Each structure stands twice: as C-alpha cells, then as structure tokens.
Amino acid sequence: MSPIAATFTVLATAAAMEFVAWSSHKYVMHGFGWAWHRDHHEPHEGILEKNDLYALVGAAISISLFAIGSPMLMGEGAWEPGTWMGLGVLLYGVIYTLIHDGLVHQRYFRWVPKRGYAKRLVQAHKLHHATVGKEGGVSFGFVVARDPALLKRELREQRSRGIAVLREAIGD
C-alpha cells in the first residue's frame, strides 16, 4: 500500500469513527449498554467508571484490526489495510480521550475554553448531560458538536413531549 493510501486510510478511519462513536453512544450506551454507561451520567466516587470499559472495547477493535493486517500473525492471509484502519481507530481513541475525558470532563487537565470550537464541544457535551436517565438527550458525538443553541431547543422540545427529563433549566 502506498504511503498516500495508508495515510488516507488512517484519516478516513479516524473520521468514520465519529459516526461509529455517535451511533454506539446513542443506541448502545443509552440503550442496552446503559449498565456500563450510567455511572458516567451520575455522581460517583473514584477515578474510574464502569463506562471506561467502553475504551477496552475500542482498544479490542483496534488491536483486532492490527492483527488482521499483521503478516506475522496472519501470514499470507494478512490484509494490509487492517493495520492502517487499526491505527485510525487508535488515533480516534487518543483524540476522544483528550477531548472527552481531558477537555470536557477534565479528568487529566484543567482548562475551560472561553471561545471557539473547544468551548462549543464542552457546551454540547454539558447539554448531553442535561438529561436524567438514558431517555432523550442530544449531542451523542464526541468530536463533532452542533450549535448549542440548537441543542437547547431540541432539549426543550423533548421535555415538552415528555421524552427527556432535564436536570436543571437549560437557559434560553
């Protein structure tokens, strides 16, 4: 595989992971996987959360792709794009960890952005946490954040239809 094709594969996989993360967050974590994700939405003691088990799932996907692409493990049956896709999943995991766990939840460092896209990411995720329980909610992505004003409007609409129970007023 050419270096350009490998680079494209890494970047395309990392970009595609935002859709994978969005859909798994909305339909798995806020669905049948709520038992692992619940403590992320509730006050808890300690550094680790059950929700952190999802990082192990992501790591297993990345490692599996690396293995599929490894001639050492797979011999002639190795599929080279697997290596580069595994690297893309890993890259997304690093970005996710820095943005979601680091910037938004401040597990690794303390910095509150005052403007720009970083502020938008933090606001969007705080609006995601504005609901009580797994029902309703907005902003299930981790790197792509929609306009907080639109998200507030969606939350108000969900509340008026009885879909979402909000923790507190979301402001106007």
Side-chain angles (χ1 to χ4, degrees):
M1 182 174 256
S2 75
I4 291 173
T7 301
F8 175 78
T9 301
V10 170
L11 296 176
T13 302
M17 283 302 297
E18 177 66 3
F19 174 74
V20 171
W22 177 90
S23 51
S24 63
H25 187 190
K26 183 171 175 104
Y27 298 110
V28 175
M29 294 177 188
H30 282 258
F32 65 86
W34 181 248
W36 281 9
H37 190 58
R38 170 180 289 178
D39 69 342
H40 182 66
H41 283 266
E42 297 173 348
H44 62 278
E45 297 284 324
I47 295 172
L48 296 176
E49 308 170 343
K50 275 189 191 175
N51 183 66
D52 294 330
L53 292 169
Y54 285 112
L56 298 178
V57 172
I61 292 168
S62 180
I63 291 167
S64 296
L65 287 165
F66 276 117
I68 289 168
S70 170
M72 186 178 289
L73 294 175
M74 303 298 288
E76 289 187 29
W79 185 58
E80 185 180 359
T83 298
W84 304 112
M85 292 170 74
L87 188 57
V89 173
L90 174 64
L91 175 63
Y92 184 84
V94 169
I95 293 167
Y96 164 87
T97 298
L98 291 173
I99 290 176
H100 180 264
D101 293 341
L103 175 68
V104 174
H105 290 289
Q106 301 197 353
R107 288 173 80 175
Y108 311 129
F109 54 85
R110 303 273 184 240
W111 176 61
V112 178
K114 303 292 185 218
R115 59 184 168 77
Y117 197 72
K119 180 179 178 181
R120 183 176 177 146
L121 282 168
V122 171
Q123 289 175 322
H125 200 72
K126 286 189 184 298
L127 288 168
H128 172 74
H129 282 267
T131 57
V132 175
K134 68 179 188 173
E135 303 304 325
V138 295
S139 194
F140 291 92
F142 296 107
V143 178
V144 176
R146 295 175 41 227
D147 180 5
L150 295 173
L151 299 174
K152 286 179 184 180
R153 193 171 330 149
E154 284 181 29
L155 280 172
R156 281 193 295 273
E157 289 171 9
Q158 287 181 18
R159 179 179 56 191
S160 71
R161 292 186 314 214
I163 297 170
V165 177
L166 301 182
R167 289 188 192 285
E168 54 193 53
I170 56 174
D172 291 313

